[in-house]
Amino acid sequence: MPTGAIDLHTHSSVSDGTETPAELVHAALAAGLGTVALTDHDSTAGWDEAEAATSGTGLLVVPGMELSTNHGPASVHMLAYLFDPTDDDIIRETARIRDGRLHRAERIVDRIAEDYPLTWHDVLEQSVDGGTIGRPHIADALVARGHVADRSAAFASILHWRSGYYEKYYAPSPLAGVELIVGAGGAPVLAHPGTRGREWVIDEKNIARLKDAGLFGLEIHHRDNTASGKARLFELAEKFDLAVTGSSDYHGTGKPNRLAENTTAPEVLELLLATATGHAPFSG
Ligand code: AMP
Ligand code: FE
Ligand code: FE
Ligand code: ZN
């Protein structure tokens, strides 16, 4: 295992990051990381490019994904590490989520277009072919049109879930998500489970069920988790013997989050590598 900081949550242009997977690998090196996980939303399409870029760098790259799940009305993100990307159920379910995201984004754009000049073509220009479409790409299109200053401003206004333009998209339950990841040999970690207003979305009974199904850990060190959310999560990690991870959730220039602003302990990485059997990490 390389020395250097461990950052287990980043996005490339395969989803809503602004750097290609290869550029992301080089950004991780430049930031002095020893280990970085690539966790694009609902897609493994960046893995091959990341693997090729890792060669000769000395970096350890953990292939992963941030799986969308829905818990009632709430969207719950589930990080997935070192699973088999050729698993039939993974392929089928992530394709279904990406397709739902695409049509949902088209409907959001249709509604926005009633009030602001904006076309679906604008959004496609902000995304890569076959990538995972989300509100960040609509945000970039709104910025390009001059309707808002940046992504954050877009999310605070036109793309806010209470704006009237918003709608949800299909995703499996968190329990089905954990089963899917574990079934493909991977390790699931609840992403930023203590964000403002969401500290209690996954209650103790749900955590117990997810743990029974194979949940590996909780992403506690993350800028979006509140202080009280973190305190509660540490108690739950202790009670249910869950690993504690930390990460940046880097999106390139798409978010203020910087690589290695939060990190994971080496013992946790070792346990992760020993637990997940669906795919090997990429080591340069
Ligand atoms: P969606 O999954 O399409 O509903 O969009 C949610 C995504 O938008 C998340 O993955 C976040 O990374 C991103 N996001 C949420 N809030 C912001 C923000 N204020 N600035 C930039 N990106 C954001
Ligand atoms: Fe994102
Ligand atoms: Fe997330
Ligand atoms: Zn993320």
Tab-separated table of all heavy atoms in Angstrom, residues 9 11 15-16 41-42 66 68 75 77 101 104-105 108 133-139 150-156 159 166-169 192 224 249 251 254-256, ligand 1:
chain	number	residue	atom	x	y	z
A	9	HIS	N	-13.515	9.315	-2.497
A	9	HIS	CA	-14.748	9.768	-3.161
A	9	HIS	C	-14.430	10.935	-4.089
A	9	HIS	O	-14.198	12.054	-3.625
A	9	HIS	CB	-15.747	10.181	-2.057
A	9	HIS	CG	-17.105	10.589	-2.534
A	9	HIS	ND1	-18.165	10.737	-1.656
A	9	HIS	CD2	-17.599	10.896	-3.749
A	9	HIS	CE1	-19.246	11.118	-2.318
A	9	HIS	NE2	-18.928	11.230	-3.592
A	11	HIS	N	-15.221	12.492	-8.429
A	11	HIS	CA	-16.006	12.382	-9.668
A	11	HIS	C	-15.216	12.881	-10.866
A	11	HIS	O	-14.494	13.882	-10.773
A	11	HIS	CB	-17.293	13.201	-9.546
A	11	HIS	CG	-18.203	12.694	-8.472
A	11	HIS	ND1	-19.230	11.815	-8.719
A	11	HIS	CD2	-18.217	12.912	-7.135
A	11	HIS	CE1	-19.849	11.524	-7.574
A	11	HIS	NE2	-19.247	12.174	-6.594
A	15	SER	N	-19.337	11.448	-14.936
A	15	SER	CA	-20.590	11.916	-14.324
A	15	SER	C	-20.511	13.438	-14.245
A	15	SER	O	-20.490	14.100	-15.288
A	15	SER	CB	-20.880	11.242	-12.990
A	15	SER	OG	-19.889	11.491	-12.013
A	16	ASP	N	-20.420	14.003	-13.041
A	16	ASP	CA	-20.515	15.455	-12.939
A	16	ASP	C	-19.239	16.136	-12.464
A	16	ASP	O	-19.273	17.275	-12.012
A	16	ASP	CB	-21.705	15.867	-12.065
A	16	ASP	CG	-21.680	15.218	-10.700
A	16	ASP	OD1	-20.789	14.380	-10.436
A	16	ASP	OD2	-22.559	15.544	-9.887
A	41	HIS	N	-21.118	8.906	-10.432
A	41	HIS	CA	-22.511	8.556	-10.169
A	41	HIS	C	-22.998	7.471	-11.138
A	41	HIS	O	-22.983	7.663	-12.364
A	41	HIS	CB	-23.417	9.789	-10.329
A	41	HIS	CG	-23.140	10.888	-9.361
A	41	HIS	ND1	-23.521	10.839	-8.041
A	41	HIS	CD2	-22.524	12.083	-9.524
A	41	HIS	CE1	-23.156	11.956	-7.435
A	41	HIS	NE2	-22.536	12.732	-8.307
A	42	ASP	N	-23.417	6.337	-10.594
A	42	ASP	CA	-24.142	5.300	-11.346
A	42	ASP	C	-23.431	4.824	-12.607
A	42	ASP	O	-24.090	4.396	-13.560
A	42	ASP	CB	-25.562	5.816	-11.710
A	42	ASP	CG	-26.304	6.332	-10.490
A	42	ASP	OD1	-26.338	5.601	-9.485
A	42	ASP	OD2	-26.809	7.475	-10.520
A	66	GLU	N	-20.672	5.893	-7.131
A	66	GLU	CA	-21.618	6.410	-6.140
A	66	GLU	C	-23.011	6.065	-6.662
A	66	GLU	O	-23.487	6.680	-7.627
A	66	GLU	CB	-21.459	7.930	-5.944
A	66	GLU	CG	-22.300	8.473	-4.782
A	66	GLU	CD	-22.030	9.956	-4.476
A	66	GLU	OE1	-21.363	10.641	-5.281
A	66	GLU	OE2	-22.510	10.419	-3.418
A	68	SER	N	-26.966	5.789	-6.810
A	68	SER	CA	-28.157	6.508	-6.341
A	68	SER	C	-29.141	5.508	-5.739
A	68	SER	O	-29.382	4.455	-6.337
A	68	SER	CB	-28.853	7.207	-7.512
A	68	SER	OG	-27.980	8.101	-8.157
A	75	SER	N	-33.262	11.171	-1.471
A	75	SER	CA	-32.209	10.567	-2.274
A	75	SER	C	-31.045	10.235	-1.344
A	75	SER	O	-30.571	11.089	-0.603
A	75	SER	CB	-31.780	11.570	-3.348
A	75	SER	OG	-30.600	11.135	-3.971
A	77	HIS	N	-27.195	8.513	-1.227
A	77	HIS	CA	-26.072	8.067	-2.053
A	77	HIS	C	-25.289	6.972	-1.350
A	77	HIS	O	-24.997	7.073	-0.158
A	77	HIS	CB	-25.163	9.247	-2.392
A	77	HIS	CG	-25.787	10.197	-3.378
A	77	HIS	ND1	-25.201	11.378	-3.765
A	77	HIS	CD2	-26.948	10.104	-4.074
A	77	HIS	CE1	-25.987	11.985	-4.656
A	77	HIS	NE2	-27.051	11.239	-4.845
A	101	ARG	N	-32.522	9.040	-15.189
A	101	ARG	CA	-31.906	10.365	-15.011
A	101	ARG	C	-32.007	11.191	-16.297
A	101	ARG	O	-32.287	12.391	-16.252
A	101	ARG	CB	-30.406	10.211	-14.681
A	101	ARG	CG	-30.072	9.880	-13.237
A	101	ARG	CD	-28.565	9.656	-13.166
A	101	ARG	NE	-27.996	9.772	-11.833
A	101	ARG	CZ	-27.745	10.917	-11.213
A	101	ARG	NH1	-28.003	12.073	-11.810
A	101	ARG	NH2	-27.214	10.920	-10.010
A	104	ARG	N	-35.618	12.274	-16.928
A	104	ARG	CA	-35.960	13.258	-15.893
A	104	ARG	C	-35.298	14.595	-16.197
A	104	ARG	O	-35.911	15.655	-16.057
A	104	ARG	CB	-35.520	12.682	-14.544
A	104	ARG	CG	-35.462	13.622	-13.374
A	104	ARG	CD	-34.017	14.050	-13.097
A	104	ARG	NE	-33.894	14.545	-11.739
A	104	ARG	CZ	-32.763	14.869	-11.165
A	104	ARG	NH1	-31.609	14.730	-11.825
A	104	ARG	NH2	-32.734	15.325	-9.935
A	105	ALA	N	-34.043	14.573	-16.644
A	105	ALA	CA	-33.357	15.829	-16.973
A	105	ALA	C	-34.040	16.518	-18.148
A	105	ALA	O	-34.181	17.747	-18.170
A	105	ALA	CB	-31.880	15.556	-17.288
A	108	ILE	N	-37.061	18.242	-16.772
A	108	ILE	CA	-36.684	19.447	-16.020
A	108	ILE	C	-36.362	20.585	-16.996
A	108	ILE	O	-36.809	21.728	-16.825
A	108	ILE	CB	-35.479	19.166	-15.077
A	108	ILE	CG1	-35.889	18.204	-13.950
A	108	ILE	CG2	-34.926	20.471	-14.498
A	108	ILE	CD1	-34.741	17.827	-13.000
A	133	ILE	N	-26.084	11.746	-16.715
A	133	ILE	CA	-26.600	13.127	-16.724
A	133	ILE	C	-27.233	13.470	-15.378
A	133	ILE	O	-27.949	12.652	-14.784
A	133	ILE	CB	-27.675	13.283	-17.829
A	133	ILE	CG1	-27.062	13.068	-19.212
A	133	ILE	CG2	-28.362	14.633	-17.726
A	133	ILE	CD1	-26.526	14.306	-19.868
A	134	GLY	N	-26.980	14.684	-14.913
A	134	GLY	CA	-27.603	15.137	-13.678
A	134	GLY	C	-27.833	16.636	-13.711
A	134	GLY	O	-27.505	17.301	-14.705
A	135	ARG	N	-28.375	17.135	-12.620
A	135	ARG	CA	-28.602	18.580	-12.541
A	135	ARG	C	-27.331	19.396	-12.771
A	135	ARG	O	-27.411	20.518	-13.295
A	135	ARG	CB	-29.242	18.929	-11.189
A	135	ARG	CG	-30.749	18.685	-11.155
A	135	ARG	CD	-31.328	19.079	-9.807
A	135	ARG	NE	-30.892	18.174	-8.760
A	135	ARG	CZ	-30.960	18.435	-7.462
A	135	ARG	NH1	-31.430	19.604	-7.051
A	135	ARG	NH2	-30.566	17.540	-6.584
A	136	PRO	N	-26.122	18.905	-12.372
A	136	PRO	CA	-24.926	19.720	-12.635
A	136	PRO	C	-24.751	20.071	-14.112
A	136	PRO	O	-24.246	21.153	-14.431
A	136	PRO	CB	-23.785	18.826	-12.129
A	136	PRO	CG	-24.419	18.023	-11.040
A	136	PRO	CD	-25.797	17.722	-11.542
A	137	HIS	N	-25.159	19.176	-15.018
A	137	HIS	CA	-25.020	19.487	-16.449
A	137	HIS	C	-26.037	20.544	-16.871
A	137	HIS	O	-25.747	21.378	-17.723
A	137	HIS	CB	-25.164	18.210	-17.276
A	137	HIS	CG	-24.224	17.134	-16.848
A	137	HIS	ND1	-24.600	16.107	-15.999
A	137	HIS	CD2	-22.900	16.967	-17.086
A	137	HIS	CE1	-23.547	15.340	-15.765
A	137	HIS	NE2	-22.504	15.840	-16.394
A	138	ILE	N	-27.225	20.494	-16.271
A	138	ILE	CA	-28.214	21.555	-16.544
A	138	ILE	C	-27.674	22.872	-15.976
A	138	ILE	O	-27.796	23.932	-16.602
A	138	ILE	CB	-29.589	21.207	-15.923
A	138	ILE	CG1	-30.068	19.825	-16.399
A	138	ILE	CG2	-30.615	22.296	-16.260
A	138	ILE	CD1	-31.373	19.358	-15.754
A	139	ALA	N	-27.042	22.789	-14.800
A	139	ALA	CA	-26.443	23.983	-14.192
A	139	ALA	C	-25.414	24.602	-15.127
A	139	ALA	O	-25.411	25.823	-15.363
A	139	ALA	CB	-25.790	23.622	-12.855
A	150	ASP	N	-22.751	30.427	-11.454
A	150	ASP	CA	-22.026	29.161	-11.358
A	150	ASP	C	-22.975	28.060	-10.878
A	150	ASP	O	-24.156	28.308	-10.640
A	150	ASP	CB	-20.804	29.286	-10.433
A	150	ASP	CG	-21.167	29.787	-9.038
A	150	ASP	OD1	-22.344	29.642	-8.632
A	150	ASP	OD2	-20.275	30.316	-8.354
A	151	ARG	N	-22.425	26.840	-10.748
A	151	ARG	CA	-23.244	25.702	-10.343
A	151	ARG	C	-23.952	25.958	-9.009
A	151	ARG	O	-25.135	25.638	-8.858
A	151	ARG	CB	-22.396	24.429	-10.220
A	151	ARG	CG	-22.145	23.719	-11.510
A	151	ARG	CD	-21.517	22.343	-11.245
A	151	ARG	NE	-21.103	21.725	-12.505
A	151	ARG	CZ	-20.545	20.522	-12.604
A	151	ARG	NH1	-20.320	19.805	-11.503
A	151	ARG	NH2	-20.196	20.020	-13.772
A	152	SER	N	-23.201	26.491	-8.060
A	152	SER	CA	-23.789	26.710	-6.729
A	152	SER	C	-24.999	27.631	-6.817
A	152	SER	O	-26.035	27.384	-6.182
A	152	SER	CB	-22.756	27.300	-5.773
A	152	SER	OG	-21.704	26.390	-5.610
A	153	ALA	N	-24.873	28.694	-7.633
A	153	ALA	CA	-25.995	29.634	-7.795
A	153	ALA	C	-27.178	28.940	-8.469
A	153	ALA	O	-28.342	29.185	-8.119
A	153	ALA	CB	-25.540	30.838	-8.620
A	154	ALA	N	-26.892	28.057	-9.409
A	154	ALA	CA	-27.966	27.316	-10.085
A	154	ALA	C	-28.706	26.426	-9.090
A	154	ALA	O	-29.941	26.376	-9.076
A	154	ALA	CB	-27.388	26.479	-11.221
A	155	PHE	N	-27.933	25.722	-8.241
A	155	PHE	CA	-28.558	24.825	-7.259
A	155	PHE	C	-29.340	25.596	-6.197
A	155	PHE	O	-30.298	25.070	-5.639
A	155	PHE	CB	-27.508	23.921	-6.600
A	155	PHE	CG	-27.267	22.662	-7.375
A	155	PHE	CD1	-26.279	22.600	-8.353
A	155	PHE	CD2	-28.049	21.537	-7.158
A	155	PHE	CE1	-26.070	21.440	-9.088
A	155	PHE	CE2	-27.856	20.372	-7.885
A	155	PHE	CZ	-26.856	20.332	-8.850
A	156	ALA	N	-28.918	26.829	-5.938
A	156	ALA	CA	-29.614	27.634	-4.925
A	156	ALA	C	-30.889	28.261	-5.489
A	156	ALA	O	-31.721	28.755	-4.738
A	156	ALA	CB	-28.675	28.720	-4.408
A	159	LEU	N	-32.394	25.199	-9.906
A	159	LEU	CA	-32.311	23.746	-9.760
A	159	LEU	C	-32.631	23.255	-8.349
A	159	LEU	O	-32.553	22.059	-8.067
A	159	LEU	CB	-30.924	23.254	-10.194
A	159	LEU	CG	-30.647	23.461	-11.684
A	159	LEU	CD1	-29.223	23.044	-12.037
A	159	LEU	CD2	-31.653	22.689	-12.535
A	166	TYR	N	-38.053	20.940	-10.362
A	166	TYR	CA	-37.393	19.705	-9.926
A	166	TYR	C	-38.282	18.488	-10.063
A	166	TYR	O	-39.488	18.550	-9.904
A	166	TYR	CB	-36.982	19.852	-8.455
A	166	TYR	CG	-36.290	18.626	-7.897
A	166	TYR	CD1	-34.942	18.412	-8.163
A	166	TYR	CD2	-36.991	17.694	-7.134
A	166	TYR	CE1	-34.303	17.286	-7.668
A	166	TYR	CE2	-36.351	16.567	-6.631
A	166	TYR	CZ	-35.013	16.376	-6.908
A	166	TYR	OH	-34.391	15.264	-6.426
A	167	GLU	N	-37.662	17.358	-10.365
A	167	GLU	CA	-38.324	16.083	-10.128
A	167	GLU	C	-37.283	15.022	-9.800
A	167	GLU	O	-36.091	15.199	-10.046
A	167	GLU	CB	-39.204	15.654	-11.290
A	167	GLU	CG	-38.497	15.243	-12.545
A	167	GLU	CD	-39.500	14.664	-13.557
A	167	GLU	OE1	-40.180	15.434	-14.258
A	167	GLU	OE2	-39.579	13.433	-13.642
A	168	LYS	N	-37.762	13.925	-9.202
A	168	LYS	CA	-36.861	12.843	-8.797
A	168	LYS	C	-36.600	11.912	-9.970
A	168	LYS	O	-37.150	12.093	-11.043
A	168	LYS	CB	-37.512	12.044	-7.666
A	168	LYS	CG	-37.554	12.761	-6.344
A	168	LYS	CD	-38.313	11.920	-5.320
A	168	LYS	CE	-37.810	10.488	-5.292
A	168	LYS	NZ	-37.307	10.083	-3.985
A	169	TYR	N	-35.786	10.883	-9.741
A	169	TYR	CA	-35.573	9.854	-10.772
A	169	TYR	C	-35.567	8.494	-10.098
A	169	TYR	O	-35.364	8.384	-8.883
A	169	TYR	CB	-34.271	10.104	-11.531
A	169	TYR	CG	-33.038	10.257	-10.684
A	169	TYR	CD1	-32.224	9.162	-10.394
A	169	TYR	CD2	-32.683	11.504	-10.162
A	169	TYR	CE1	-31.083	9.311	-9.619
A	169	TYR	CE2	-31.550	11.659	-9.394
A	169	TYR	CZ	-30.760	10.554	-9.122
A	169	TYR	OH	-29.644	10.702	-8.350
A	192	HIS	N	-21.917	10.546	2.774
A	192	HIS	CA	-22.364	11.743	3.504
A	192	HIS	C	-23.761	11.597	4.130
A	192	HIS	O	-24.686	12.307	3.754
A	192	HIS	CB	-22.307	12.981	2.580
A	192	HIS	CG	-22.862	12.771	1.182
A	192	HIS	ND1	-24.195	12.602	0.926
A	192	HIS	CD2	-22.242	12.696	-0.021
A	192	HIS	CE1	-24.378	12.433	-0.380
A	192	HIS	NE2	-23.196	12.488	-0.971
A	224	ASP	N	-20.063	17.993	3.982
A	224	ASP	CA	-21.502	18.232	4.070
A	224	ASP	C	-22.149	17.660	5.331
A	224	ASP	O	-23.298	17.982	5.640
A	224	ASP	CB	-22.224	17.655	2.836
A	224	ASP	CG	-21.874	18.410	1.560
A	224	ASP	OD1	-21.238	19.472	1.661
A	224	ASP	OD2	-22.252	17.939	0.474
A	249	ASP	N	-15.096	14.203	-2.006
A	249	ASP	CA	-16.214	14.360	-2.963
A	249	ASP	C	-15.833	15.426	-4.008
A	249	ASP	O	-16.630	16.307	-4.344
A	249	ASP	CB	-17.500	14.743	-2.220
A	249	ASP	CG	-18.764	14.354	-2.963
A	249	ASP	OD1	-18.672	13.910	-4.117
A	249	ASP	OD2	-19.851	14.516	-2.368
A	251	HIS	N	-15.143	17.326	-7.348
A	251	HIS	CA	-15.820	17.407	-8.652
A	251	HIS	C	-15.039	18.311	-9.608
A	251	HIS	O	-15.636	18.961	-10.472
A	251	HIS	CB	-17.227	17.976	-8.496
A	251	HIS	CG	-18.269	17.016	-7.965
A	251	HIS	ND1	-18.254	16.517	-6.687
A	251	HIS	CD2	-19.379	16.478	-8.544
A	251	HIS	CE1	-19.302	15.719	-6.498
A	251	HIS	NE2	-20.008	15.679	-7.617
A	254	GLY	N	-16.262	21.883	-10.510
A	254	GLY	CA	-17.719	21.895	-10.367
A	254	GLY	C	-18.208	22.142	-8.957
A	254	GLY	O	-19.397	22.396	-8.738
A	255	LYS	N	-17.299	22.016	-7.988
A	255	LYS	CA	-17.640	22.221	-6.574
A	255	LYS	C	-16.402	22.744	-5.868
A	255	LYS	O	-15.287	22.493	-6.326
A	255	LYS	CB	-18.030	20.871	-5.924
A	255	LYS	CG	-19.493	20.506	-6.042
A	255	LYS	CD	-19.794	19.299	-5.160
A	255	LYS	CE	-21.289	19.136	-4.952
A	255	LYS	NZ	-21.580	18.018	-4.050
A	256	PRO	N	-16.564	23.433	-4.736
A	256	PRO	CA	-15.380	23.948	-4.025
A	256	PRO	C	-14.540	22.850	-3.351
A	256	PRO	O	-13.400	23.097	-2.974
A	256	PRO	CB	-15.980	24.893	-2.972
A	256	PRO	CG	-17.413	24.505	-2.849
A	256	PRO	CD	-17.821	23.897	-4.152
B	1	AMP	P1	-28.947	15.089	-9.294
B	1	AMP	O1	-28.387	13.749	-8.909
B	1	AMP	O2	-29.110	15.203	-10.777
B	1	AMP	O3	-30.220	15.414	-8.563
B	1	AMP	O4	-27.888	16.196	-8.886
B	1	AMP	C1	-27.246	16.127	-7.653
B	1	AMP	C2	-25.743	16.325	-7.855
B	1	AMP	O5	-25.504	17.705	-7.960
B	1	AMP	C3	-24.898	15.812	-6.714
B	1	AMP	O6	-24.144	14.728	-7.168
B	1	AMP	C4	-23.956	16.911	-6.345
B	1	AMP	O7	-22.617	16.568	-6.574
B	1	AMP	C5	-24.319	18.051	-7.268
B	1	AMP	N1	-24.585	19.264	-6.470
B	1	AMP	C6	-25.501	19.408	-5.493
B	1	AMP	N2	-25.471	20.665	-4.986
B	1	AMP	C7	-24.491	21.327	-5.674
B	1	AMP	C8	-23.958	22.643	-5.613
B	1	AMP	N3	-24.436	23.559	-4.754
B	1	AMP	N4	-22.940	22.969	-6.452
B	1	AMP	C9	-22.468	22.062	-7.321
B	1	AMP	N5	-22.934	20.807	-7.425
B	1	AMP	C10	-23.934	20.427	-6.605
